[in-house]
Amino acid sequence: NSTAKSATTLLEHAGIRDLFDHVLSVDAIERYKPAREAYEYAAKELRVNLGDFVLVAAHAWDIAGAMAAGAATAFVTGAGRSAPSTARTPRSATQRGRSSPAGSRGRRSADCSTLSASPRRQREG
């Protein structure tokens, strides 16, 4: 739910902007998470089906919104925190047919605590 400028500035300040291919913002659609349109927008911009999209977040409302939109989710907890009661037991990566949460078939995931970025896949060479 950050502006593009704010998200970019945060990534630059952390020294990690160059690790991301995209910086996405709800500015473009004027709908904030957990509205379905925010997750649909991210999937469209990343050129993936929403059903293949994996949202990683630290907020229960974000997880609930992504799940309602049809995305897979991963909840990140801090010390002393637990997953929200709405969380489902995750299937293992191999049960999903993938070797990692982001997958090895060109899938990308967004930094969805702010819907600000998608991690760049490691490049060989």
Side-chain angles (χ1 to χ4, degrees), residues 1 8 13 16 27 30 41 46 52 64 66-67 70 72 74 79 85 88 90-91 96 105 108 112 124:
N1 289 334
T8 299
H13 182 68
I16 60 172
D27 291 344
E30 298 181 347
Y41 166 73
L46 298 173
D52 292 332
M67 288 172 56
S85 60
R88 292 180 256 172
R91 292 179 286 166
R96 294 184 65 110
R105 297 184 206 146
R108 299 177 188 178
C112 293
E124 296 178 17

Side-chain angles (χ1 to χ4, degrees), residues 11-12 18-19 24 64 73-74 84 95 107-108 113 120-121:
L11 293 169
E12 288 172 348
D18 63 329
L19 299 176
L24 305 177
T73 61
Q95 287 174 315
R107 293 186 179 107
R108 299 177 188 178
S113 61
R120 180 178 294 159
R121 288 179 282 157

Side-chain angles (χ1 to χ4, degrees), residues 1-123:
N1 289 334
S2 298
T3 65
K5 182 178 179 179
S6 173
T8 299
T9 299
L10 289 170
L11 293 169
E12 288 172 348
H13 182 68
I16 60 172
R17 172 59 186 100
D18 63 329
L19 299 176
F20 295 88
D21 290 324
H22 304 280
V23 176
L24 305 177
S25 170
V26 294
D27 291 344
I29 58 167
E30 298 181 347
R31 293 283 292 159
Y32 293 94
K33 300 181 303 172
R36 178 184 190 91
E37 295 87 351
Y39 308 101
E40 290 172 340
Y41 166 73
K44 180 181 175 186
E45 290 296 307
L46 298 173
R47 297 184 183 137
V48 298
N49 294 319
L50 191 54
D52 292 332
F53 190 85
V54 180
L55 179 124
V56 179
H59 301 96
W61 58 265
D62 206 359
I63 294 291
M67 288 172 56
T73 61
F75 187 75
V76 178
T77 62
R81 294 177 53 204
S82 60
S85 60
T86 57
R88 292 180 256 172
T89 303
R91 292 179 286 166
S92 72
T94 54
Q95 287 174 315
R96 294 184 65 110
R98 301 188 288 213
S99 60
S100 68
S104 58
R105 297 184 206 146
R107 293 186 179 107
R108 299 177 188 178
S109 60
D111 165 3
C112 293
S113 61
T114 61
L115 193 60
S116 61
S118 64
R120 180 178 294 159
R121 288 179 282 157
Q122 289 186 345
R123 299 185 181 168

